[in-house]
Coordinates of all heavy atoms in Angstrom, one line a residue:
E122 N -23.4 -12.3 26.4 CA -23.2 -11.4 25.2 C -22.4 -10.2 25.7 O -22.7 -9.6 26.8 CB -24.5 -10.9 24.6 CG -25.4 -12.1 24.2 CD -26.6 -11.6 23.4 OE1 -26.7 -10.4 23.1 OE2 -27.4 -12.5 22.9
N167 N -26.5 -9.6 20.5 CA -27.6 -9.3 19.6 C -28.0 -7.9 19.6 O -28.3 -7.3 18.5 CB -28.8 -10.1 20.1 CG -28.9 -11.5 19.6 OD1 -29.2 -11.7 18.4 ND2 -28.5 -12.5 20.4
G168 N -28.1 -7.2 20.7 CA -28.6 -5.9 20.7 C -28.4 -5.2 22.1 O -27.2 -5.3 22.6
G169 N -29.4 -4.6 22.6 CA -29.3 -3.8 23.9 C -28.7 -4.5 25.0 O -27.8 -3.9 25.7
L170 N -29.0 -5.8 25.2 CA -28.5 -6.5 26.4 C -27.0 -6.7 26.3 O -26.3 -6.5 27.3 CB -29.2 -7.8 26.5 CG -28.8 -8.9 27.5 CD1 -30.0 -9.7 27.9 CD2 -27.8 -9.8 26.9
L173 N -25.3 -3.3 26.6 CA -25.3 -2.8 28.0 C -24.1 -3.4 28.8 O -23.4 -2.7 29.5 CB -26.6 -3.2 28.7 CG -26.8 -2.6 30.1 CD1 -27.2 -1.1 29.9 CD2 -27.8 -3.4 30.9
N321 N -31.1 -15.4 17.7 CA -32.6 -15.3 17.9 C -32.9 -14.2 19.0 O -32.1 -14.1 19.9 CB -33.1 -16.6 18.4 CG -33.1 -17.6 17.3 OD1 -32.0 -17.8 16.7 ND2 -34.1 -18.3 17.1
D322 N -34.0 -13.6 18.8 CA -34.4 -12.6 19.8 C -35.0 -13.3 21.0 O -34.7 -13.0 22.2 CB -35.4 -11.6 19.3 CG -34.7 -10.3 19.0 OD1 -33.8 -10.0 19.7 OD2 -35.1 -9.7 18.0
L325 N -35.5 -19.2 22.6 CA -34.3 -20.0 22.4 C -34.4 -21.3 23.1 O -33.6 -22.2 22.9 CB -33.1 -19.2 22.9 CG -32.6 -18.1 22.0 CD1 -31.7 -17.1 22.7 CD2 -31.9 -18.7 20.8
R331 N -27.4 -24.2 22.9 CA -27.5 -23.0 23.7 C -27.4 -23.3 25.2 O -26.7 -22.6 25.9 CB -28.9 -22.3 23.3 CG -29.3 -21.2 24.2 CD -28.8 -19.9 23.7 NE -29.2 -18.8 24.6 CZ -28.8 -17.5 24.5 NH1 -27.9 -17.2 23.7 NH2 -29.2 -16.6 25.4
H372 N -29.6 -15.9 31.2 CA -28.7 -16.8 30.4 C -27.6 -17.4 31.3 O -27.3 -18.6 31.0 CB -28.1 -16.0 29.2 CG -29.1 -15.1 28.5 ND1 -28.8 -13.9 28.0 CD2 -30.4 -15.3 28.4 CE1 -29.9 -13.4 27.5 NE2 -30.9 -14.2 27.7
H408 N -34.3 -8.3 31.9 CA -34.4 -7.3 30.8 C -35.6 -7.4 30.0 O -35.7 -6.7 28.9 CB -33.2 -7.5 29.9 CG -31.8 -7.3 30.5 ND1 -31.2 -6.1 30.4 CD2 -31.0 -8.1 31.2 CE1 -30.0 -6.2 31.0 NE2 -29.9 -7.4 31.5
V486 N -34.6 -2.7 34.7 CA -33.6 -1.8 34.1 C -34.1 -0.4 33.8 O -33.4 0.4 33.2 CB -33.0 -2.4 32.8 CG1 -32.2 -3.6 33.2 CG2 -34.2 -2.9 31.9
N515 N -30.8 1.8 33.3 CA -29.7 1.6 32.4 C -29.0 2.9 32.1 O -29.5 4.0 32.3 CB -30.2 1.0 31.0 CG -30.5 -0.4 31.1 OD1 -31.1 -1.0 30.2 ND2 -30.1 -1.1 32.2
Y604 N -42.9 -5.3 18.5 CA -43.2 -4.4 19.7 C -42.5 -3.1 19.6 O -43.0 -2.1 20.2 CB -43.0 -5.2 21.0 CG -41.5 -5.1 21.5 CD1 -41.1 -3.9 22.1 CD2 -40.7 -6.1 21.5 CE1 -39.8 -3.8 22.6 CE2 -39.4 -6.1 21.9 CZ -38.9 -4.9 22.5 OH -37.6 -4.8 23.0
E703 N -41.0 -2.3 26.1 CA -39.6 -2.1 26.0 C -39.1 -1.9 27.4 O -39.4 -0.9 28.1 CB -39.3 -0.8 25.2 CG -37.8 -0.5 24.9 CD -37.2 -1.6 23.9 OE1 -36.8 -2.6 24.3 OE2 -37.3 -1.3 22.7
A704 N -38.2 -2.8 27.9 CA -37.8 -2.8 29.3 C -37.2 -1.4 29.6 O -37.5 -0.7 30.5 CB -36.8 -3.9 29.5
S705 N -36.2 -1.0 28.8 CA -35.6 0.3 29.0 C -35.3 1.0 27.6 O -35.8 2.1 27.4 CB -34.2 0.1 29.7 OG -33.4 1.3 29.6
G706 N -34.6 0.3 26.8 CA -34.0 1.0 25.6 C -32.7 1.7 26.1 O -32.6 2.2 27.2
T707 N -31.8 1.7 25.2 CA -30.5 2.5 25.5 C -30.2 3.4 24.3 O -29.5 4.4 24.5 CB -29.4 1.5 25.8 OG1 -29.4 0.5 24.9 CG2 -29.5 1.0 27.2
Ligands
F58_22 C1 -32.9 -5.5 25.9 N1 -33.0 -6.9 25.7 C2 -34.2 -4.9 26.1 N2 -32.3 -8.9 24.8 O1 -35.1 -5.2 25.1 C3 -34.1 -3.3 26.2 O2 -35.3 -2.7 26.5 C4 -33.0 -3.0 27.2 O3 -32.7 -1.7 27.1 C5 -31.7 -3.8 27.0 O4 -32.0 -5.2 27.0 C6 -30.7 -3.6 28.1 O5 -31.3 -3.7 29.4 C7 -32.2 -7.5 24.8 O6 -31.4 -6.9 24.1 C8 -31.6 -9.7 23.9 O7 -31.0 -9.3 23.0 C9 -31.7 -11.2 24.2 C10 -30.6 -11.9 23.6 C11 -30.7 -13.4 23.9 C12 -32.0 -14.0 23.5 C13 -33.2 -13.2 24.1 C14 -33.1 -11.7 23.8

Side-chain angles (χ1 to χ4, degrees):
E122 304 192 359
N167 273 285
L170 172 149
L173 188 79
N321 295 48
D322 258 326
L325 284 164
R331 169 92 178 166
H372 319 145
H408 296 265
V486 291
N515 284 167
Y604 85 76
E703 187 70 270
S705 162
T707 44

